[in-house]
Amino acid sequence: MSHLTFLRDLSIDAVRLAIWLAILAAVFVPLERLFARDRRDRSARKSPLAGEIGYYFLNNLLPAMILTTPLVIIGALAQRLLPSFWLSLVAAMPLPVKLLVSLLLAELVSYWGHRLSHQWPLLWQFHARHHEPEHVNWLTNSHDHPIDMMWSRASALLPVYVLGLAGAGVQHGSIVALALPFFAAFWAFFIHADVRFRFGFLEKLIVTPAFHHWHHTNDEWRDHNYATLLPVMDRLFGTHHLPDHLPPCYGIDDRADMAPLLPFGPAPGGDARKSEKA
């Protein structure tokens, strides 16, 4: 690929992301203004907008650039290496069934990928940046280190490609490859939104903002609620926590836990949080 082609494709992707950002803002800015958990002092809870937008573009451009080619290669290899009976079974799946199977598989593996990012110090130094904000809103979804973003996306998408459910040459494979990340991305912005309303019995079936805000708490209930869509994963593996009130505080114990955002910069400090829990 020539430099001009690369720059053209990068520019197209940036424009698409800008349009997507405008759509997200049109949905979530009014939503948070109307239903914020505490409207008395919203100015104190705002993160620097320019920085959050920078995270948004960085973490939607860089991981996609790096992961796209490996996923295409893995999808092609899967079509060559998987047993023929499995490929026939996948090909016979109606699209709704294939989407459901892909979603369940992605949710299961991403649950454990997310949980490991809290339990392994090597992964936590990157994931800690996502937990840095002391006030959570819809833009917090992109407030992350690119390496952690790649880890979380790979955790969700890699098994789907490895098992031949998505990719070139797969019936409905391109739809699965597009629909799954698109829905996951929108829902991830929603569950970070600064809103106070609850969903009643639906909270037993699907991850909501209240559920995910408890994942960001910085009290004794941190390290719970790892699922991004299906809370049954946390119920199955003993990490579910959803009381009738919202968290009292957010953030992390020590910003020195975080890896630098760029290759240059100060080295991360010791993981005091993990040392206390060990």
Side-chain angles (χ1 to χ4, degrees), residues 31-229:
L31 195 68
E32 290 191 338
R33 287 188 179 277
L34 289 171
F35 301 105
R37 54 181 296 184
D38 184 358
R39 288 182 286 180
R40 290 172 297 177
D41 188 13
R42 289 186 55 78
S43 61
R45 302 200 309 279
K46 290 182 179 178
S47 302
L49 183 59
E52 297 295 359
I53 292 176
Y55 276 112
Y56 169 83
F57 281 98
L58 174 67
N59 285 315
N60 282 285
L61 286 172
L62 186 59
M65 289 168 54
I66 294 174
L67 290 176
T68 298
T69 299
L71 288 174
V72 169
I73 293 173
I74 289 169
L77 288 174
Q79 295 303 302
R80 292 177 174 270
L81 301 177
L82 287 172
S84 57
F85 79 88
W86 174 256
L87 294 175
S88 299
L89 178 63
V90 170
M93 288 181 183
L95 178 58
V97 174
K98 188 172 295 183
L99 286 171
L100 179 61
V101 171
S102 300
L103 186 149
L104 292 172
L105 179 63
E107 184 72 358
L108 174 62
V109 179
S110 65
Y111 168 90
W112 283 103
H114 192 180
R115 186 166 175 173
L116 288 175
S117 69
H118 282 250
Q119 295 177 340
W120 287 3
L122 177 62
L123 294 176
W124 170 252
Q125 65 175 314
F126 300 108
H127 188 58
R129 187 168 294 273
H130 181 59
H131 285 264
E132 174 194 17
E134 295 181 353
H135 304 287
V136 175
N137 59 42
W138 66 281
L139 278 171
T140 306
N141 179 52
S142 298
H143 188 111
D144 208 344
H145 195 289
I147 290 178
D148 181 61
M149 187 68 77
M150 285 187 281
W151 169 258
S152 63
R153 289 188 181 179
S155 297
L157 294 176
L158 192 59
V160 177
Y161 279 82
V162 167
L163 290 181
L165 292 162
V170 181
Q171 187 176 9
H172 308 308
S174 58
I175 297 177
V176 173
L178 291 173
L180 200 62
F182 179 82
F183 177 74
F186 180 83
W187 202 255
F189 281 104
F190 173 63
I191 64 177
H192 285 90
D194 178 21
V195 292
R196 66 181 184 273
F197 51 77
R198 301 293 294 265
F199 288 82
F201 79 95
L202 288 176
E203 292 184 341
K204 296 182 181 297
L205 304 177
I206 195 165
V207 168
T208 62
F211 177 94
H212 192 70
H213 275 231
W214 275 105
H215 176 69
H216 280 265
T217 190
N218 194 30
D219 62 7
E220 68 272 18
W221 290 105
R222 62 192 176 192
D223 298 330
H224 285 73
N225 297 5
Y226 295 108
T228 56
L229 185 62

